[in-house]
Amino acid sequence: MRIFTITFLFIFLVSCSNSDSPLISNSAKDDLRDSDPITSVQSFSVTGDYNGNLWKSDWTSHVYEALIDQNSALLDNEVSTYDLSLINCENYNTFSRENKMKFWALFMASFSHYESSYNPNERYWESSLGKYSEGLFQLSTSDSNYYTFCNVDSSNILNPKENIHCAVAILDVQIDGSTRREGGRLFPSSYFYWSVLTRSSSKSKVINYFKKRVKQKLPACS
């Protein structure tokens, strides 16, 4: 009888040690889900200056997705402290990953406002280039030839997700810099892609637009 009891206890203990982990509670599942950077970083909408035009919260989510899917250097490269001082966010370079994602979403919303007035169907014929600038960030279908992660063509360039993903890829190259172009510049000293970030008159509008909304959307800048 003792042998049987000992054998039974041994089998019971072994089976317990090899069993699956206890079922995860609903609250624990929520904690795991919240650790995902896309779902844990709050998406936000931004009301524009033109008849209440709107940068949608879904578009913020697309920025987050692009930053993650592209393993974007925007989350790693330092930004010019001079440019950051212009928009009242001098401490950006010490931000957490989550706050950096929010920063890029707000910054992109700020200059998209002056590119397209938040109209994803906006098209402008660039006579000097012989092609259209299209969508939220006024991109061209030819951008797919020059920028990794740009997959825009005539069938999808007006799609906000595709337009935003391509814009993130272009901005990544701008901030990364090159041997001929200073890196880390939100507002390049020489033209790179978006003229609203380089021309004095339009650049000042983007700066003021960001500053007007930064305390509410990104209090970590304060």
Side-chain angles (χ1 to χ4, degrees), residues 146-214:
Y146 306 108
Y147 299 98
T148 306
F149 301 111
C150 274
N151 298 307
V152 291
D153 56 35
S154 58
S155 70
N156 67 14
I157 194 168
L158 298 180
N159 180 296
K161 179 177 180 178
E162 295 297 337
N163 203 275
I164 288 170
H165 275 241
C166 183
V168 168
I170 295 171
L171 186 58
D172 189 320
V173 174
Q174 174 180 313
I175 298 300
D176 199 37
S178 69
T179 55
R180 296 180 299 171
R181 189 179 68 257
E182 183 182 2
R185 297 305 305 271
L186 300 173
F187 308 102
S189 55
S190 59
Y191 176 79
F192 174 66
Y193 191 93
W194 292 286
S195 61
V196 296
L197 298 180
T198 54
R199 292 176 181 166
S200 297
S201 58
S202 54
K203 178 175 68 175
S204 63
K205 292 179 181 178
V206 174
I207 290 170
N208 290 332
Y209 191 91
F210 186 99
K211 289 167 64 175
K212 185 177 178 180
R213 292 158 177 81
V214 66

Side-chain angles (χ1 to χ4, degrees), residues 44-59:
F44 54 82
S45 58
V46 177
T47 302
D49 292 336
Y50 307 135
N51 298 318
N53 55 351
L54 186 70
W55 170 273
K56 299 180 180 179
S57 59
D58 284 351
W59 300 346

Side-chain angles (χ1 to χ4, degrees), residues 79-87 90 185 187 203:
V79 174
S80 160
T81 53
Y82 173 76
D83 285 357
L84 290 171
S85 68
L86 294 176
I87 57 174
E90 292 93 333
R185 297 305 305 271
F187 308 102
K203 178 175 68 175

Side-chain angles (χ1 to χ4, degrees), residues 5 13 127 193 209:
T5 302
L13 291 171
S127 57
Y193 191 93
Y209 191 91

